Amino acid sequence: MSTIQFVGYAPNPRAHTPLACFNVVPYYLDGQETCDEEEAPLPAIIPQFYRKLELRRSRNGKLDDATILKYNKTDHVPMETSTSSMITNPIVLTLFHIPALRNLFLSHICEDEHCLACQLDFVFRIISDKRKLKEAASCANLIRSLVVSGGSPVVGPVTTTTQSLFTHLMNAVNKSFVGDESQKLASILESELTVLKRCIRCSELNASDERKTFISLNYPEAAEQRSMSYLLEKALHAKGQHQGPCASCSVTSRMDVTRRVQKLAPILLIDTNASSPKFSEFWEKQLKMSEARPRYRLPDKECSLECGGRAERPCRYGVECRNR
């Protein structure tokens, strides 16, 4: 450092480098306003893993196999996506990954051109064959048969269209099966219930058997405070009243109806009743409960040196600690 009179001058080691003016603070005289230049904010840098994919589609809205396989990181066979297959693909994959139903569909054969059971059999065989070839599967034939049957639309709101389409598909499949196939399907999906009917007029009690394939959920007023098991229990043991003929009174009177489960099906098909106004509130609450982490609670009895252990010391957050 050189000194001239009483002022010392030190060389700048960053001179003639990109950091020559790094961390240099300008001086301002008294009364002089600072003129800071506002820099425009830079665009947010999003990691490539979280960026939105811009997939190139053909004119008919379909993706080619190369694009589908490029983003498939699993060993499962991908499905070709289009506007009409957004709802059909999840239903097909759900049925395919249930071995009992998959084997039943694979053993079905008939001569009906638009048999939905045969179309599911065809799609399942495509998925099984494409697994080795690393190619995408398509359910275009199944969609065409669904449109021809005209039971339910294949495009619409997801919550309501999915349930109606699945119900129509299973009802059509049940009609397609005959003989042993129908009995096997019933043993897999049907639950046996006992219906108790009591006449309010004469208190006569009658019992009858009932078989149910779909179990529809009903959401009470305080549905967000209930659990899924509670709603399922209430749906199975549903109570109600209706008008019906009484064998003892020989007149039409009001009946109290109570159901009791005799045998549950190995596979339960549950109608979540998406048209109910309490549907969104209940499932949003269930999602929050499943994702919430339990709060840390101090142990009832801490270890001491007398018992050979070491006393547990919570962190600086105390009862607010959530890392335990």
Side-chain angles (χ1 to χ4, degrees), residues 218-235:
N218 295 320
Y219 302 95
E221 291 297 329
E224 64 277 0
Q225 301 178 3
R226 305 295 184 179
S227 61
M228 175 62 184
S229 58
Y230 175 83
L231 296 184
L232 185 59
E233 180 183 0
K234 291 298 181 182

Side-chain angles (χ1 to χ4, degrees), residues 237-249:
H237 300 91
K239 298 181 180 180
Q241 293 183 355
H242 73 277
Q243 296 287 341
C246 178
S248 179
C249 300

